[in-house]
Amino acid sequence: MTLTAPATPAPPPSPPLKPLPVPGRGPSVRRAWRKASPYAYIAPFFTLFAAFGVFPLIYTAYVSLYRVELQTPGDMEWRGLGNYAALLGDEFFWTALRNTFTIGVLSTVPQLVMALGLAHLLNYRMRGRTFLRTAILLPYATSVAAATLVFAQLFGRDFGLINYVLGVVGVGPVDWQTGTVASQIAVSTVVVWRWTGYNALIYLAGMQSIPDELYEAAAMDGASRWRQFLHVTLPGLRPTIVFTVIVSTIGATQLFGEPLLLEGSISGGISHQYHTLGLYMYEQGWGFFHLGRAAAIAWVMFLLIVVVVGVNALIARRRSRKEAGR
């Protein structure tokens, strides 16, 4: 017979330690901090946005109502809407507006079409896909000045590579910096080269978010890759396409570096054939020293961007409503 000692009961668990009260931080202070902390986290962004975004916009609108010269910025003469009326009566403003529209179309449409095709190719599994995705982004990382100066040499009239290739196929030399259509094509080519890869990666990200089940169902129904692209890829990319159209339109409205460096003139060519709104604003402000008129041009560009973005958003909303009603 073996005797065993009775099991000793386990000691009761010790109560959790309570944190020591911090002087000056009662429940009301913690509750107030919990409510105010989200605003404190986002306050730096809105502070910088107000300082470098909202304030310059409002101050530009204020300056556009005065006659202000660069030599004497302290002497401001009230003009009201006189600067805007002078713009409407200036033929160079309408030339710049027309050139901005044509160059925007010549650069935006081919750019987005090519970006969509490149993204569709890169979406398939192929060797070196990662390298190709990185390579198409290199033009976007290139400096505007460096890219434009290289293309200015390529589009040279006498010794340019483009005219040399045209001469090989039997086409005469083209004066890319004097002709209206030719010079606008040259400027648009620089824009297309720089931004196609950037938009292609945006489209590629949108394509990868489309479920694979849709492609599998389309393939089981006998749809070819072209029909899959038309009926699966494009509808799935509609919000992304609207976004790229809006961003490209804004960039085309603000086009400045490419036309400035193509020939090195702020007048946009001999006959202002590629004189954009950005160049026109720079010419008025820093060429003719009319800061008030330059501010008015900046606000006209801002209003044009707002109108274009609003029209694009309205068209996209109507299309989505029609599709939802089907």
Side-chain angles (χ1 to χ4, degrees), residues 12-174:
S14 58
L17 298 178
K18 296 181 178 181
L20 297 177
V22 180
R25 292 191 61 180
S28 60
V29 176
R30 290 195 298 269
R31 191 179 303 110
W33 169 248
R34 192 177 298 111
K35 292 181 179 180
S37 58
Y39 301 98
Y41 294 143
I42 63 176
F45 166 76
F46 284 101
T47 302
L48 294 176
F49 178 72
F52 298 101
V54 178
F55 173 75
L57 188 65
I58 297 176
Y59 186 73
T60 302
Y62 170 76
V63 172
S64 67
L65 303 177
Y66 289 84
R67 181 194 299 274
V68 187
E69 301 298 326
L70 185 61
Q71 301 92 333
T72 56
D75 299 336
M76 303 178 65
E77 178 185 349
W78 172 259
R79 292 201 63 188
L81 299 178
N83 288 325
Y84 296 93
L87 289 181
L88 298 179
D90 189 359
E91 62 175 350
F92 294 115
F93 167 75
W94 296 107
T95 301
L97 182 61
R98 183 177 61 254
N99 292 338
T100 302
F101 175 77
T102 54
I103 294 176
V105 173
L106 290 174
S107 60
T108 300
V109 176
Q111 171 193 150
L112 297 183
V113 172
M114 294 172 59
L116 194 59
L118 287 175
H120 184 63
L121 293 176
L122 293 176
N123 195 31
Y124 288 102
R125 296 179 181 177
M126 63 177 67
R127 293 182 179 180
R129 183 174 56 176
T130 303
F131 170 76
L132 293 176
R133 291 177 180 178
T134 306
I136 64 174
L137 196 61
L138 291 179
Y140 171 71
T142 306
S143 170
V144 179
T148 307
L149 291 177
V150 170
F151 273 91
Q153 297 298 321
L154 293 176
F155 284 103
R157 184 186 62 180
D158 298 325
F159 304 103
L161 181 61
I162 305 297
N163 279 342
Y164 173 77
V165 174
L166 293 177
V168 171
V169 297
V171 180
V174 179

Side-chain angles (χ1 to χ4, degrees), residues 247-271:
V247 173
S248 300
T249 303
I250 294 174
T253 307
Q254 299 175 342
L255 197 61
F256 173 74
E258 291 84 352
L260 174 65
L261 297 173
L262 184 66
E263 193 182 1
S265 173
I266 63 175
S267 60
I270 299 177
S271 58

Side-chain angles (χ1 to χ4, degrees), residues 262-286:
L262 184 66
E263 193 182 1
S265 173
I266 63 175
S267 60
I270 299 177
S271 58
H272 302 270
Q273 64 269 18
Y274 53 92
H275 198 209
T276 61
L277 286 176
L279 276 181
Y280 182 62
M281 179 182 65
Y282 183 85
E283 181 184 41
Q284 291 294 324
W286 300 99

